[in-house]
């Protein structure tokens, strides 16, 4: 037995063979667990007993990956049950927990000092807590799912248990994932979990439609992962708001969020703005100046309308993405930056690549995780939710009393196509409030080109024809007026498309009108 070579994770332990045998038994117990709640309790009990610590805690992220909840606790050899009302609703202000969560790193504090570290998440006992070890836990997809914490009342080096307990915790997370799929049991207490999801399911965005629920699910997948994201969608759909949500609810929310529109500046100026420059790099460069990449170091850089970035700059951007290195204009030295890139474009980048207007290697490097924002016309009742919110905000801005909505006005908006999407809706409501002399918004306060009469006065046929007309116009505009391509995309013979266009009175003038409306809606 003396010649048996143990893994390095047991090197610092006093009795490594005894510990390894006990650890293996804990793995077996967790594997045999058939209930999510008991598995969580078994994990904290195992962590406490293996490390000989009086306290072990398990924190799990909710389904939205935004809120941390204490799910299991073991104190002095027994499970500790605390009333939910006595626990914080979130742990955003607990710096030790948030550090371990945001940095995705093991946290070991050997000498807790109340003047240096705030630890209200630890239970009150007769003796103060003196040392702790906090470990990030990952599921089978290697996504961060929670934290495992052990604490001791004496000054003690707990770091020797980090590797083994992390393996045990990750295994438990995988088992918990499997059990939840089988019994659909939530990992957090039902009352806390339901209130959390209902409150934060939109990540600060507005909308309950199925289309937006799909967006929320995609956002949840990238909050705690450093992958680059491309946000696609028509102009005015809220691409920058989605980018801000990913930043504000993700691991980098304590760092800077910098936004730059790539179509707003000429190439030379955009290059110096992004990468910075050194003194003497060009005429007028009288001193060193850091660029936006340096300003966003540790945080997020949002590149809006990246499809309009010149090809030369695309090559420099690709270098930063691949190597994490930045070289300012006029400098011979590079330095490291840690920046998460979120890009957005209303163009189809795949089409731009095919036309040679966008680098294919950059497209694949940026497009690890695309998120498509639905146009407003596909969001159903979200139109009314947004309308009410924008009206409230506009009333506050105009310092006037709140306005009520007539049912006819809401139906009037619901029947409109909104080529300018959410941005157009916000502008329409601001104008309507200026026209409204009373405190009730009526259909006549809105001037909608595609909806001259209230939708409530239309027959079912008229409403269906309006929907079909909008669909055909969208498809024709997407295919730049090419009727053959539009018919193929719609799965129709070309002659059927021509017949429907004639029946619905669609012509080239309508397409130009739509394009002009979209162009005017852009900032």
């Amino acid at each position: 037995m003396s010649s048996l070579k143990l893994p390095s994770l047991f090197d610092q332990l006093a009795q490594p063979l005894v510990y390894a045998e006990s650890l293996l038994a804990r793995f077996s117990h967790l594997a045999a667990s058939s209930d999510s709640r008991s598995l969580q309790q078994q994990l904290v009990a195992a962590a406490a007993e293996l490390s000989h610590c009086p306290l072990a805690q398990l924190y799990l992220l909710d389904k939205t990956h935004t809120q941390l909840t204490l799910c299991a606790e073991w104190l002095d050899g027994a499970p500790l049950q605390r009333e939910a009302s006595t626990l914080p609703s979130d742990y955003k202000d607990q710096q030790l927990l948030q550090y371990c969560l945001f940095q995705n790193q093991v946290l070991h504090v050997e000498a807790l000092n109340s003047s240096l570290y705030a630890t209200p998440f630890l239970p009150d006992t007769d003796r103060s807590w003196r040392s702790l070890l906090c470990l990030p836990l990952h599921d089978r997809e290697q996504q961060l799912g929670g934290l495992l914490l052990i604490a001791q009342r004496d000054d003690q080096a707990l770091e020797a248990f980090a590797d083994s307990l992390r393996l045990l915790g990750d295994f438990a997370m995988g088992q918990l994932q499997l059990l939840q799929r089988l019994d659909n049991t939530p990992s957090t207490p039902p009352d806390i979990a339901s209130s959390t999801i209902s409150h934060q399911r939109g990540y600060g965005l507005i909308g309950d439609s199925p289309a937006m629920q799909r967006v929320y699910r995609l956002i949840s997948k990238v909050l705690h992962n450093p992958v680059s994201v491309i946000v696609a969608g028509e102009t005015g759909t809220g691409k920058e708001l989605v980018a801000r949500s990913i930043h504000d609810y993700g691991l980098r929310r304590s760092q800077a969020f910098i936004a730059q529109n790539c179509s707003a500046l000429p190439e030379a100026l955009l290059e110096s703005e992004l990468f910075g420059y050194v003194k003497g790099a060009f005429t007028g460069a009288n001193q060193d100046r850091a660029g936006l990449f340096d300003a966003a170091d540790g945080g997020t850089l949002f590149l809006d309308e990246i499809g309009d970035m010149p090809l030369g700059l695309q090559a420099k951007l690709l270098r930063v993405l691949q190597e994490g290195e930045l070289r300012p204009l006029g400098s011979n030295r590079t330095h490291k930056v840690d920046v998460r890139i979120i890009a957005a474009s209303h163009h189809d980048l795949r089409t731009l690549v095919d036309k040679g207007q966008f680098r294919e290697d950059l497209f694949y490097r940026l497009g690890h995780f695309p998120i498509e924002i639905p146009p407003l016309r596909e969001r159903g009742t979200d139109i009314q939710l947004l309308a009410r919110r924008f009206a409230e905000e506009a009333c506050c801005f105009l310092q006037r009393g709140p306005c009520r909505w007539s049912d006819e006005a809401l139906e009037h908006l619901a029947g409109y196509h909104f080529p300018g999407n959410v941005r157009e809706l916000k502008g329409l409501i601001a104008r309507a409030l200026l026209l409204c002399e009373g405190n009730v918004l009526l259909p006549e306060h809105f001037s909608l080109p595609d909806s001259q009469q209230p939708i409530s006065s239309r027959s079912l046929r008229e409403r269906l024809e309006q929907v079909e007309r909008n669909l055909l116009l969208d498809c024709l505009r997407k295919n730049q007026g090419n009727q053959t391509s539009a018919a193929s995309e719609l799965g129709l013979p070309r002659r059927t498309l021509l017949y429907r266009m004639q029946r619905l009175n669609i012509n080239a003038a309508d397409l130009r009108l739509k394009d002009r409306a979209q162009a005017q809606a852009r900032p």
Side-chain angles (χ1 to χ4, degrees):
M1 292 293 291
S2 60
S3 62
L4 180 62
K5 183 174 178 58
L6 292 172
S8 58
L9 61 98
F10 300 124
D11 285 351
Q12 302 178 47
L13 299 172
Q15 294 180 306
L17 286 176
V18 175
Y19 182 85
E21 184 179 359
S22 180
L23 178 65
L24 183 60
R26 297 298 180 176
F27 272 100
S28 300
H29 293 159
L30 292 178
S33 179
S34 59
D35 176 74
S36 298
R37 297 276 179 248
S38 63
L39 187 144
Q40 295 170 13
Q41 286 294 341
Q42 287 180 31
L43 175 60
V44 291
E49 293 171 9
L50 286 169
S51 61
H52 303 290
C53 285
L55 175 68
Q57 295 177 325
L58 174 65
Y59 297 87
L60 294 179
L61 286 166
D62 67 356
K63 291 181 180 180
T64 66
H65 278 223
T66 59
Q67 184 162 338
L68 201 64
T69 303
L70 178 62
C71 293
E73 196 168 17
W74 191 267
L75 179 64
D76 293 326
L80 177 62
Q81 300 290 342
R82 288 193 272 176
E83 293 292 334
S85 58
T86 66
L87 297 173
S89 59
D90 195 5
Y91 293 85
K92 291 182 179 179
D93 298 329
Q94 306 307 319
Q95 295 181 355
L96 295 179
L97 298 180
Q98 292 299 318
Y99 173 85
C100 187
L101 189 67
F102 288 171
Q103 301 297 324
N104 196 14
Q105 293 181 356
V106 174
L107 173 66
H108 177 228
V109 181
E110 190 170 343
L112 278 174
N113 187 321
S114 59
S115 62
L116 295 178
Y117 304 105
T119 57
F121 51 88
L122 299 178
D124 293 328
T125 61
D126 294 338
R127 294 176 57 195
S128 60
W129 300 102
R130 296 295 301 161
S131 55
L132 67 81
L133 178 69
C134 190
L135 311 168
L137 303 182
H138 303 83
D139 59 22
R140 292 174 181 268
E141 285 75 35
Q142 294 304 307
Q143 289 191 359
L144 184 62
L147 302 173
L148 178 63
L149 181 145
I150 56 174
Q152 183 62 263
R153 295 188 179 99
D154 300 316
D155 293 344
Q156 184 174 335
L158 302 174
E159 199 168 10
F161 300 101
D163 291 336
S164 56
L165 291 184
R166 185 165 55 178
L167 289 175
L168 187 68
D170 288 351
F171 177 78
M173 290 295 293
Q175 291 297 108
L176 187 61
Q177 204 173 28
L178 291 176
L179 290 174
Q180 287 170 0
R181 291 173 183 171
L182 293 173
D183 57 21
N184 199 27
T185 301
S187 60
T188 57
D191 53 338
I192 298 177
S194 59
S195 62
T196 298
I197 295 171
S198 63
H199 178 67
Q200 293 189 330
R201 64 178 179 271
Y203 303 102
L205 305 173
I206 302 172
D208 293 325
S209 64
M212 288 304 295
Q213 293 295 336
R214 288 192 292 271
V215 172
Y216 301 153
R217 285 195 292 271
L218 291 174
I219 290 175
S220 71
K221 301 299 182 182
V222 295
L223 290 179
H224 302 287
N225 292 291
V227 298
S228 299
V229 177
I230 283 186
V231 184
E234 297 179 8
T235 182
T237 50
K239 295 186 287 294
E240 182 170 347
L241 290 177
V242 171
R244 285 187 178 273
S245 296
I246 294 173
H247 173 81
D248 291 342
Y249 288 84
L251 295 175
R252 296 173 181 257
R253 61 186 175 189
S254 61
Q255 304 299 321
F257 176 89
I258 307 293
Q260 175 61 51
N261 191 313
C262 297
S263 63
L265 298 174
E267 180 175 359
L269 188 55
L270 179 61
E271 183 176 6
S272 62
E273 190 74 9
L274 290 175
F275 301 101
Y277 54 82
V278 297
K279 182 178 180 180
F282 50 83
T283 303
N286 300 321
Q287 59 183 5
D288 294 352
R289 183 179 185 276
L292 297 183
F293 273 101
D294 287 309
D297 193 16
T300 303
L301 178 60
F302 174 59
L303 298 176
D304 197 9
E305 298 301 347
I306 195 169
D308 296 326
M309 177 180 283
L311 288 170
L313 276 186
Q314 292 178 26
K316 291 197 69 173
L317 175 61
L318 181 64
R319 175 71 180 178
V320 177
L321 289 171
Q322 288 180 339
E323 307 298 334
E325 293 181 348
L326 178 71
R327 186 173 70 178
L329 285 174
S331 175
N332 293 325
R333 296 182 177 179
T334 62
H335 60 272
K336 292 286 186 179
V337 289
D338 175 23
V339 177
R340 180 180 194 169
I341 298 294
I342 301 179
S345 177
H346 74 280
H347 296 295
D348 183 351
L349 293 182
R350 178 75 263 181
T351 301
L352 295 182
V353 170
D354 294 339
K355 293 180 178 179
Q357 299 174 2
F358 197 83
R359 291 181 63 103
E360 187 172 15
D361 47 5
L362 180 58
F363 172 75
Y364 290 123
R365 187 65 179 81
L366 280 174
H368 287 167
F369 201 92
I371 297 178
E372 180 79 23
I373 311 301
L376 185 57
R377 60 185 172 275
E378 296 179 4
R379 293 177 55 180
T381 56
D382 286 355
I383 295 176
Q384 297 183 7
L385 290 174
L386 289 163
R388 293 181 186 277
R389 174 64 67 86
F390 292 156
E392 292 174 3
E393 294 175 352
C395 286
C396 292
F397 178 77
L398 296 172
Q399 297 183 353
R400 60 175 292 175
C403 280
R404 293 186 296 107
W405 284 87
S406 66
D407 293 339
E408 293 79 6
L410 290 174
E411 290 181 354
H412 196 54
L413 288 178
Y416 180 51
H417 183 64
F418 287 105
N421 291 294
V422 180
R423 186 183 292 120
E424 183 184 11
L425 172 63
K426 191 171 186 178
L428 284 172
I429 291 175
R431 179 180 182 274
L433 286 172
L434 293 175
L435 296 174
C436 179
E437 296 180 355
N439 66 341
V440 179
L441 288 168
L442 301 171
E444 52 264 31
H445 296 138
F446 299 89
S447 178
L448 306 180
D450 285 345
S451 191
Q452 296 299 327
Q453 56 176 326
I455 192 169
S456 58
S457 67
R458 299 180 184 179
S459 67
L460 177 60
R461 174 184 286 274
E462 289 173 326
R463 299 187 193 189
L464 291 175
E465 286 183 347
Q466 182 64 56
V467 173
E468 183 181 1
R469 191 174 192 275
N470 290 337
L471 177 62
L472 294 183
L473 282 170
D474 285 341
C475 192
L476 286 165
R477 187 170 66 252
K478 179 181 177 181
N479 289 278
Q480 299 177 341
N482 189 311
Q483 297 167 359
T484 302
S485 299
S488 176
E489 181 174 332
L490 292 169
L492 298 174
R494 187 173 183 274
R495 62 179 179 275
T496 302
L497 176 63
L498 293 175
Y499 169 77
R500 298 307 300 170
M501 289 176 62
Q502 184 179 9
R503 175 72 177 78
L504 298 170
N505 195 26
I506 296 175
N507 52 48
D510 290 314
L511 296 176
R512 290 194 294 270
L513 178 63
K514 291 285 186 180
D515 290 337
R516 192 180 305 118
Q518 279 197 331
Q520 291 174 351
R522 295 175 189 169

